[in-house]
């Protein structure tokens, strides 16, 4: 799957409020994906930090892109579990969401997700894991 095909999966399969986050697919492979969540004051909480809800939505969405890359295209799927640990606030920076599938079965996919502030690839701001049910 190409980045352009992954962008099409994003445009055609997500709710308008997810698209409003401005997510951009930067890379997609066989079970991997990198998605950028651009900084926006609209997504900041009191105190200026990027909201956890936005980062969780980005992680959840990026998992769909990684599964689609592994399956050579979008298939219906749904989140079974999303667990996120926030490690430090992000202010005035895009975040990069890097997904790696740890297991892709016939009906379930498991992923490990690193969320970093742009420009600081070794500085983890959040870590997530997801489990997806493959419906099609």
């Amino acid at each position: 799957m190409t980045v352009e095909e992954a962008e099409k999966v994003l445009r055609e399969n997500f709710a308008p409020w997810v698209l409003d986050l401005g997510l951009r697919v930067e890379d997609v492979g066989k079970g991997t994906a990198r998605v950028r969540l651009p900084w926006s004051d609209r997504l900041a909480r009191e105190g200026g930090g990027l909201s956890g809800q936005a980062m969780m939505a980005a992680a959840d969405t990026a998992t769909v892109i990684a599964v689609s890359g592994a399956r050579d295209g979008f298939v219906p799927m749904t989140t079974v579990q999303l667990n996120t640990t926030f490690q430090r606030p992000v202010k005035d920076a895009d975040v990069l969401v890097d997904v790696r599938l740890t297991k892709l079965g016939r009906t379930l996919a498991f992923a490990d997700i690193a969320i970093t502030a742009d420009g600081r690839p070794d500085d983890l701001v959040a870590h997530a894991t997801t489990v997806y049910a493959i419906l099609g």
Side-chain angles (χ1 to χ4, degrees):
M1 170 176 279
T2 66
V3 168
E4 292 76 21
E5 291 167 330
E7 285 280 344
K8 185 176 178 186
V9 167
L10 184 62
R11 284 190 312 272
E12 293 180 355
N13 295 284
F14 287 91
W17 70 267
V18 174
L19 299 177
D20 287 346
L21 293 172
L23 299 171
R24 295 190 310 265
V25 178
E26 294 199 344
D27 191 37
V28 62
K30 288 287 188 186
T32 62
R34 172 175 273 185
V35 173
R36 177 178 296 270
L37 172 62
W39 171 261
S40 168
D41 289 334
R42 287 185 50 223
L43 301 177
R45 296 179 42 87
E46 184 176 329
L50 184 65
S51 76
Q53 295 95 328
M55 286 188 272
M56 289 177 74
D60 198 46
T61 302
T63 300
V64 173
I65 300 301
V67 172
S68 296
R71 299 285 300 257
D72 292 321
F74 178 79
V75 295
M77 63 187 94
T78 191
T79 310
V80 173
Q81 180 179 351
L82 170 60
N83 183 28
T84 308
T85 304
F86 299 100
Q87 299 183 13
R88 73 167 190 78
V90 177
K91 293 185 178 185
D92 298 318
D94 293 359
V95 294
L96 298 176
V97 180
D98 287 294
V99 179
R100 179 182 58 86
L101 296 184
T102 58
K103 180 172 174 50
L104 177 61
R106 188 177 52 79
T107 60
L108 291 175
F110 299 81
D112 188 72
I113 304 156
I115 302 172
T116 57
D118 190 24
R120 296 176 250 169
D122 296 327
D123 192 5
L124 200 64
V125 299
H127 175 259
T129 57
T130 56
V131 179
Y132 262 75
I134 310 295
L135 306 174

